[in-house]
mmCIF file of all heavy atoms in Angstrom:
data_model
loop_
_atom_site.group_PDB
_atom_site.id
_atom_site.type_symbol
_atom_site.label_atom_id
_atom_site.label_comp_id
_atom_site.label_asym_id
_atom_site.label_seq_id
_atom_site.Cartn_x
_atom_site.Cartn_y
_atom_site.Cartn_z
ATOM 1 N N LEU T 10 -40.001 42.270 38.891
ATOM 2 C CA LEU T 10 -39.930 40.997 38.193
ATOM 3 C C LEU T 10 -41.116 40.132 38.605
ATOM 4 O O LEU T 10 -41.161 39.588 39.693
ATOM 5 C CB LEU T 10 -38.611 40.289 38.538
ATOM 6 C CG LEU T 10 -38.288 39.053 37.723
ATOM 7 C CD1 LEU T 10 -38.115 39.413 36.256
ATOM 8 C CD2 LEU T 10 -37.028 38.402 38.229
ATOM 9 N N ASN T 11 -42.095 40.035 37.722
ATOM 10 C CA ASN T 11 -43.249 39.193 37.984
ATOM 11 C C ASN T 11 -43.420 38.210 36.840
ATOM 12 O O ASN T 11 -42.625 38.186 35.894
ATOM 13 C CB ASN T 11 -44.514 40.052 38.187
ATOM 14 C CG ASN T 11 -44.781 40.956 36.993
ATOM 15 O OD1 ASN T 11 -44.496 40.592 35.856
ATOM 16 N ND2 ASN T 11 -45.342 42.130 37.260
ATOM 17 N N GLU T 12 -44.426 37.395 36.879
ATOM 18 C CA GLU T 12 -44.608 36.348 35.878
ATOM 19 C C GLU T 12 -44.761 36.931 34.468
ATOM 20 O O GLU T 12 -44.229 36.397 33.497
ATOM 21 C CB GLU T 12 -45.826 35.479 36.228
ATOM 22 C CG GLU T 12 -45.932 34.242 35.375
ATOM 23 C CD GLU T 12 -47.037 33.313 35.850
ATOM 24 O OE1 GLU T 12 -47.500 33.445 36.994
ATOM 25 O OE2 GLU T 12 -47.439 32.450 35.052
ATOM 26 N N GLU T 13 -45.472 38.047 34.353
ATOM 27 C CA GLU T 13 -45.684 38.671 33.040
ATOM 28 C C GLU T 13 -44.341 39.122 32.438
ATOM 29 O O GLU T 13 -44.057 38.878 31.265
ATOM 30 C CB GLU T 13 -46.619 39.874 33.181
ATOM 31 C CG GLU T 13 -46.892 40.596 31.878
ATOM 32 C CD GLU T 13 -47.757 41.836 32.085
ATOM 33 O OE1 GLU T 13 -48.320 42.025 33.164
ATOM 34 O OE2 GLU T 13 -47.837 42.621 31.114
ATOM 35 N N VAL T 14 -43.496 39.731 33.248
ATOM 36 C CA VAL T 14 -42.197 40.207 32.771
ATOM 37 C C VAL T 14 -41.307 39.023 32.389
ATOM 38 O O VAL T 14 -40.633 39.037 31.357
ATOM 39 C CB VAL T 14 -41.510 41.085 33.834
ATOM 40 C CG1 VAL T 14 -40.091 41.441 33.434
ATOM 41 C CG2 VAL T 14 -42.328 42.348 34.082
ATOM 42 N N VAL T 15 -41.327 37.981 33.201
ATOM 43 C CA VAL T 15 -40.531 36.785 32.908
ATOM 44 C C VAL T 15 -40.969 36.169 31.587
ATOM 45 O O VAL T 15 -40.141 35.790 30.747
ATOM 46 C CB VAL T 15 -40.623 35.756 34.066
ATOM 47 C CG1 VAL T 15 -40.007 34.425 33.672
ATOM 48 C CG2 VAL T 15 -39.977 36.300 35.316
ATOM 49 N N ASN T 16 -42.275 36.075 31.357
ATOM 50 C CA ASN T 16 -42.792 35.507 30.098
ATOM 51 C C ASN T 16 -42.380 36.357 28.896
ATOM 52 O O ASN T 16 -42.025 35.826 27.844
ATOM 53 C CB ASN T 16 -44.303 35.344 30.151
ATOM 54 C CG ASN T 16 -44.719 34.211 31.065
ATOM 55 O OD1 ASN T 16 -43.986 33.232 31.238
ATOM 56 N ND2 ASN T 16 -45.888 34.331 31.664
ATOM 57 N N LYS T 17 -42.433 37.694 29.039
ATOM 58 C CA LYS T 17 -42.020 38.573 27.950
ATOM 59 C C LYS T 17 -40.526 38.406 27.649
ATOM 60 O O LYS T 17 -40.128 38.366 26.492
ATOM 61 C CB LYS T 17 -42.318 40.032 28.308
ATOM 62 C CG LYS T 17 -43.775 40.403 28.191
ATOM 63 C CD LYS T 17 -43.980 41.874 28.530
ATOM 64 C CE LYS T 17 -45.445 42.249 28.493
ATOM 65 N NZ LYS T 17 -45.643 43.665 28.854
ATOM 66 N N LEU T 18 -39.710 38.326 28.686
ATOM 67 C CA LEU T 18 -38.265 38.136 28.495
ATOM 68 C C LEU T 18 -37.977 36.795 27.826
ATOM 69 O O LEU T 18 -37.142 36.711 26.924
ATOM 70 C CB LEU T 18 -37.529 38.224 29.837
ATOM 71 C CG LEU T 18 -37.399 39.618 30.448
ATOM 72 C CD1 LEU T 18 -36.843 39.521 31.864
ATOM 73 C CD2 LEU T 18 -36.509 40.501 29.595
ATOM 74 N N ALA T 19 -38.658 35.758 28.282
ATOM 75 C CA ALA T 19 -38.455 34.426 27.707
ATOM 76 C C ALA T 19 -38.840 34.419 26.236
ATOM 77 O O ALA T 19 -38.132 33.849 25.393
ATOM 78 C CB ALA T 19 -39.274 33.396 28.477
ATOM 79 N N GLN T 20 -39.953 35.067 25.896
ATOM 80 C CA GLN T 20 -40.392 35.132 24.501
ATOM 81 C C GLN T 20 -39.385 35.930 23.672
ATOM 82 O O GLN T 20 -39.016 35.526 22.574
ATOM 83 C CB GLN T 20 -41.767 35.774 24.420
ATOM 84 C CG GLN T 20 -42.336 35.800 23.022
ATOM 85 C CD GLN T 20 -43.723 36.426 22.997
ATOM 86 O OE1 GLN T 20 -44.198 36.972 23.991
ATOM 87 N NE2 GLN T 20 -44.377 36.359 21.847
ATOM 88 N N ARG T 21 -38.893 37.024 24.210
ATOM 89 C CA ARG T 21 -37.926 37.889 23.494
ATOM 90 C C ARG T 21 -36.627 37.138 23.184
ATOM 91 O O ARG T 21 -36.049 37.297 22.110
ATOM 92 C CB ARG T 21 -37.623 39.119 24.360
ATOM 93 C CG ARG T 21 -36.530 39.976 23.863
ATOM 94 C CD ARG T 21 -37.007 40.873 22.758
ATOM 95 N NE ARG T 21 -35.957 41.830 22.445
ATOM 96 C CZ ARG T 21 -35.705 42.257 21.247
ATOM 97 N NH1 ARG T 21 -36.461 41.870 20.252
ATOM 98 N NH2 ARG T 21 -34.745 43.092 21.019
ATOM 99 N N PHE T 22 -36.172 36.295 24.118
ATOM 100 C CA PHE T 22 -34.913 35.572 23.934
ATOM 101 C C PHE T 22 -35.095 34.161 23.405
ATOM 102 O O PHE T 22 -34.150 33.393 23.316
ATOM 103 C CB PHE T 22 -34.130 35.540 25.251
ATOM 104 C CG PHE T 22 -33.636 36.897 25.665
ATOM 105 C CD1 PHE T 22 -34.191 37.540 26.758
ATOM 106 C CD2 PHE T 22 -32.622 37.535 24.957
ATOM 107 C CE1 PHE T 22 -33.737 38.781 27.150
ATOM 108 C CE2 PHE T 22 -32.163 38.777 25.344
ATOM 109 C CZ PHE T 22 -32.729 39.416 26.432
ATOM 110 N N GLY T 23 -36.344 33.793 23.064
ATOM 111 C CA GLY T 23 -36.606 32.488 22.460
ATOM 112 C C GLY T 23 -36.432 31.331 23.437
ATOM 113 O O GLY T 23 -36.006 30.255 23.043
ATOM 114 N N ILE T 24 -36.760 31.574 24.692
ATOM 115 C CA ILE T 24 -36.617 30.535 25.719
ATOM 116 C C ILE T 24 -38.000 29.963 26.032
ATOM 117 O O ILE T 24 -38.956 30.705 26.262
ATOM 118 C CB ILE T 24 -35.997 31.107 27.009
ATOM 119 C CG1 ILE T 24 -34.594 31.649 26.702
ATOM 120 C CG2 ILE T 24 -35.936 30.048 28.096
ATOM 121 C CD1 ILE T 24 -33.991 32.419 27.841
ATOM 122 N N SER T 25 -38.087 28.634 26.033
ATOM 123 C CA SER T 25 -39.346 27.967 26.362
ATOM 124 C C SER T 25 -39.406 27.743 27.871
ATOM 125 O O SER T 25 -38.510 27.150 28.454
ATOM 126 C CB SER T 25 -39.420 26.625 25.630
ATOM 127 O OG SER T 25 -40.543 25.902 26.070
ATOM 128 N N LEU T 26 -40.455 28.243 28.484
ATOM 129 C CA LEU T 26 -40.639 28.051 29.917
ATOM 130 C C LEU T 26 -41.608 26.901 30.162
ATOM 131 O O LEU T 26 -42.745 26.937 29.707
ATOM 132 C CB LEU T 26 -41.188 29.318 30.573
ATOM 133 C CG LEU T 26 -40.306 30.559 30.502
ATOM 134 C CD1 LEU T 26 -41.006 31.735 31.152
ATOM 135 C CD2 LEU T 26 -38.984 30.298 31.191
ATOM 136 N N THR T 27 -41.145 25.871 30.824
ATOM 137 C CA THR T 27 -42.001 24.750 31.179
ATOM 138 C C THR T 27 -41.876 24.500 32.671
ATOM 139 O O THR T 27 -40.826 24.723 33.266
ATOM 140 C CB THR T 27 -41.604 23.473 30.422
ATOM 141 O OG1 THR T 27 -40.237 23.181 30.688
ATOM 142 C CG2 THR T 27 -41.785 23.646 28.915
ATOM 143 N N GLU T 28 -42.955 24.040 33.247
ATOM 144 C CA GLU T 28 -42.936 23.711 34.667
ATOM 145 C C GLU T 28 -42.039 22.504 34.892
ATOM 146 O O GLU T 28 -42.102 21.537 34.136
ATOM 147 C CB GLU T 28 -44.357 23.388 35.168
ATOM 148 C CG GLU T 28 -45.265 24.584 35.236
ATOM 149 C CD GLU T 28 -44.922 25.507 36.385
ATOM 150 O OE1 GLU T 28 -44.510 25.018 37.449
ATOM 151 O OE2 GLU T 28 -45.061 26.728 36.207
ATOM 152 N N LYS T 29 -41.223 22.572 35.884
ATOM 153 C CA LYS T 29 -40.319 21.475 36.194
ATOM 154 C C LYS T 29 -40.589 21.012 37.614
ATOM 155 O O LYS T 29 -40.765 21.820 38.515
ATOM 156 C CB LYS T 29 -38.866 21.947 36.064
ATOM 157 C CG LYS T 29 -37.855 20.866 36.250
ATOM 158 C CD LYS T 29 -36.452 21.409 36.058
ATOM 159 C CE LYS T 29 -35.452 20.311 36.323
ATOM 160 N NZ LYS T 29 -34.085 20.799 36.234
ATOM 161 N N GLU T 30 -40.611 19.687 37.764
ATOM 162 C CA GLU T 30 -40.796 19.119 39.106
ATOM 163 C C GLU T 30 -39.592 19.471 39.957
ATOM 164 O O GLU T 30 -38.448 19.282 39.527
ATOM 165 C CB GLU T 30 -40.924 17.593 39.037
ATOM 166 C CG GLU T 30 -42.265 17.086 38.586
ATOM 167 C CD GLU T 30 -43.331 17.280 39.648
ATOM 168 O OE1 GLU T 30 -43.074 17.054 40.838
ATOM 169 O OE2 GLU T 30 -44.433 17.691 39.261
ATOM 170 N N PRO T 31 -39.810 19.989 41.163
ATOM 171 C CA PRO T 31 -38.654 20.263 42.020
ATOM 172 C C PRO T 31 -37.978 18.951 42.428
ATOM 173 O O PRO T 31 -38.646 17.951 42.671
ATOM 174 C CB PRO T 31 -39.258 20.973 43.229
ATOM 175 C CG PRO T 31 -40.694 20.600 43.223
ATOM 176 C CD PRO T 31 -41.065 20.329 41.794
#
Side-chain angles (χ1 to χ4, degrees):
L10 189 63
N11 57 33
E12 190 173 343
E13 180 184 348
V14 173
V15 170
N16 288 331
K17 284 181 183 179
L18 287 171
Q20 184 179 8
R21 172 80 172 145
F22 293 109
I24 299 171
S25 172
L26 297 178
T27 57
E28 290 287 325
K29 185 178 177 184
E30 282 288 319

